[in-house]
Amino acid sequence: MSTRHILLGLLASGSSHGYDLKRRHDERFPQARPLAYGQVYTTLQRLVRDGLAQVEGTDSDGGPERTTYRSTEDGTRELAQWAAEVAPPAPFVTNEIFAKVVVSILSGGDPAGYLAAQRAAHMERMRELTAVKTAVSADLATVLSADYALNHLDADLRWMNTTAARLTTLTAEVDAA
């Protein structure tokens, strides 16, 4: 996910300061890793440097001084271009689980045991996400984000089941190489 473009998207609805942008990011993308304040302010500085945002002013409202930012016309154009780009599907997905299965075979470990433990971890996370998305307070963004994660976890589980069924052949191939 492009923090640069997400912040430009949040600025598209109007001027804002870094604290508010971080809060809105965390609300709009509830299943994403929360942004660190340092990341927000560093990204805002880069957006200003690159002419995609500008400082609109500062205020304190009796508290710490806050700088307000707004998107520029160039920022609006870049955001529109980024949002319209189709993300190319990767030809191969880097798969840490597969790497650990192969390393387990190479090192004389227990790849079947590893797959079973990984399946259990995936199932636990799926239960957590199902609880999140079925909570009475869940908004649509939370439900959709949880659905996305659940579909990916389900694909991983199907892959793990297929790999577990083929472990004997995979072990023979890895050992022969």
Side-chain angles (χ1 to χ4, degrees):
M1 186 164 70
S2 169
T3 301
R4 169 186 182 104
H5 293 103
I6 296 300
L7 291 182
L8 280 173
L10 293 171
L11 286 172
S13 63
S15 301
S16 195
H17 52 80
Y19 175 82
D20 190 45
L21 290 168
K22 185 232 183 309
R23 181 186 54 76
R24 288 174 39 218
H25 168 275
D26 295 349
E27 288 173 358
R28 297 274 185 230
F29 304 99
Q31 298 300 317
R33 182 172 34 109
L35 286 180
Y37 286 106
Q39 184 179 12
V40 171
Y41 290 107
T42 299
T43 303
L44 285 169
Q45 289 170 354
R46 288 182 183 139
L47 289 171
V48 169
R49 177 199 68 200
D50 296 342
L52 303 176
Q54 66 184 36
V55 173
E56 188 169 75
T58 58
D59 62 56
S60 63
D61 287 335
E65 189 174 274
R66 293 187 179 169
T67 303
T68 304
Y69 299 86
R70 72 174 185 83
S71 183
T72 63
E73 288 182 27
D74 286 345
T76 301
R77 274 193 297 277
E78 177 162 324
L79 178 64
Q81 181 181 350
W82 175 80
E85 289 174 357
V86 173
F92 292 98
V93 177
T94 303
N95 185 336
E96 182 177 353
I97 299 167
F98 177 66
K100 288 183 176 183
V101 168
V102 172
V103 167
S104 183
I105 292 168
L106 290 169
S107 64
D110 179 13
Y114 168 74
L115 284 170
Q118 189 64 58
R119 275 195 299 264
H122 270 56
M123 294 299 294
E124 177 58 28
R125 182 64 180 140
M126 290 176 86
R127 284 189 286 278
E128 292 168 0
L129 287 167
T130 300
V132 165
K133 78 177 238 172
T134 58
V136 175
S137 61
D139 60 7
L140 184 57
T142 299
V143 171
L144 291 173
S145 183
D147 281 341
Y148 184 85
L150 283 163
N151 280 302
H152 280 267
L153 290 167
D154 182 59
D156 284 351
L157 284 173
R158 285 183 278 124
W159 177 88
M160 283 184 252
N161 289 337
T162 300
T163 301
R166 297 175 175 169
L167 261 180
T168 302
T169 305
L170 178 61
T171 299
E173 285 183 11
V174 169
D175 287 343

